[in-house]
Amino acid sequence: MALRRDTGNARASEGVGLALARSGKLTEGIRFLVEATRRDPTRTMAQIALAQANVVAGELPEAYRRAEAVTEADPHNAAAWNMRGDIARQLNDFTAAETALKRAVAMDSGNAAYWMNLGDMQRENNRLNEAEASYRKAAALTPDAAETQSRFGGLLLQLPPNPARRQEAEKRLRAALVANPTDEYAQYNLGKCLLDKGQAKEAIPILEKVVGGAATMDKKEVWYALGRAYRMAG
């Protein structure tokens, strides 16, 4: 096909590489994407796709280098700033992560994923009130997203307890399980929430689902909560 023969053209190589990557042929796609960036380092989509491939491969420093290059070449690219911030967070460079993620939400305040990434960074730094504000924005943008509701509900349980906060946490965790009944984190946090309310008998079957489910999380705390529920239920 014409585009495949035109590998000397950076735009054409980028287009072919992106198409191959999206069709599941990542290895072949990377070859075209690398060629595109070699001929024109400012090919933003190619650089972002290669950075994502670096992240998947665990090559975080190289992924950050690419994301940084994109934001320097295209400083108004919110997606690139979000990627740069999330990679910096994974590299434990929280100052760089915060700067980049705040740039991303400032440019595109309607993107829930950007707000979630900012909230995750704030949560990992124990800045829970700031994380709550970020998660709240994300939840308002995507009220039916299971992961957003699950993470927000779990965060609310980390904050100093009060009746309204506990009620909201339970509501969000139940909403997460309506959207995704197999979300073990939502199940676990809902079980803890019910235990804190003294509703051990309702918590038990929920926690039992978690300990009997797939190993997507560390079950030690779940077993502890379940043992507590058994003792409370008599």
Side-chain angles (χ1 to χ4, degrees):
M1 62 183 180
L3 280 177
R4 189 175 181 83
R5 290 194 300 269
D6 192 15
T7 54
N9 181 284
R11 179 179 295 178
S13 294
E14 180 182 59
V16 173
L18 292 172
L20 287 168
R22 289 166 183 158
S23 67
K25 299 176 181 178
L26 181 60
T27 301
E28 188 176 353
I30 286 175
R31 181 165 59 87
F32 282 91
L33 295 170
V34 169
E35 176 66 14
T37 59
R38 184 185 71 80
R39 293 185 175 274
D40 181 0
T42 67
R43 299 310 305 175
T44 300
M45 295 299 293
Q47 291 283 17
I48 288 176
L50 287 170
Q52 290 170 334
N54 290 140
V55 171
V56 172
E59 300 164 347
L60 293 180
E62 176 64 13
Y64 186 79
R65 184 193 68 76
R66 288 189 183 278
E68 186 177 41
V70 174
T71 55
E72 290 174 356
D74 185 5
H76 302 293
N77 189 319
W81 281 108
N82 175 67
M83 173 179 283
R84 177 174 171 175
D86 194 45
I87 296 169
R89 178 183 66 82
Q90 294 178 63
L91 288 167
N92 296 319
D93 187 345
F94 294 113
T95 299
E98 180 173 27
T99 298
L101 292 169
K102 284 188 173 180
R103 288 284 294 270
V105 297
M107 292 178 193
D108 186 359
S109 61
N111 191 305
Y114 299 172
W115 284 110
M116 287 302 294
N117 283 338
L118 178 59
D120 288 345
M121 184 280 301
Q122 292 162 334
R123 187 177 187 176
E124 289 173 13
N125 279 273
N126 205 36
R127 290 156 50 186
L128 301 185
N129 290 327
E130 293 174 63
E132 179 186 6
S134 296
Y135 281 3
R136 193 171 296 282
K137 287 182 181 292
L141 291 165
T142 54
D144 298 322
E147 186 176 358
T148 301
Q149 297 292 349
S150 177
R151 281 151 69 182
F152 191 11
L155 171 72
L156 290 170
L157 294 180
Q158 288 183 257
L159 292 165
N162 62 54
R165 185 170 283 151
R166 292 293 182 180
Q167 184 177 17
E168 182 182 5
E170 181 177 348
K171 178 182 177 180
R172 293 192 180 278
L173 292 167
R174 290 189 183 278
L177 289 170
V178 168
N180 179 12
T182 64
D183 185 331
E184 289 191 334
Y185 290 94
Q187 290 172 334
Y188 169 55
N189 282 316
L190 178 59
K192 288 198 305 178
C193 188
L194 293 171
L195 280 178
D196 290 341
K197 291 171 60 179
Q199 297 176 341
K201 290 184 178 180
E202 187 177 351
I204 287 172
I206 295 172
L207 294 170
E208 286 178 336
K209 285 182 182 179
V210 183
V211 297
T216 59
M217 62 180 292
D218 188 346
K219 302 296 177 72
K220 292 179 182 178
E221 292 297 320
V222 186
W223 277 110
Y224 176 81
L226 184 57
R228 179 184 165 208
Y230 287 146
R231 291 191 297 273
M232 289 174 62

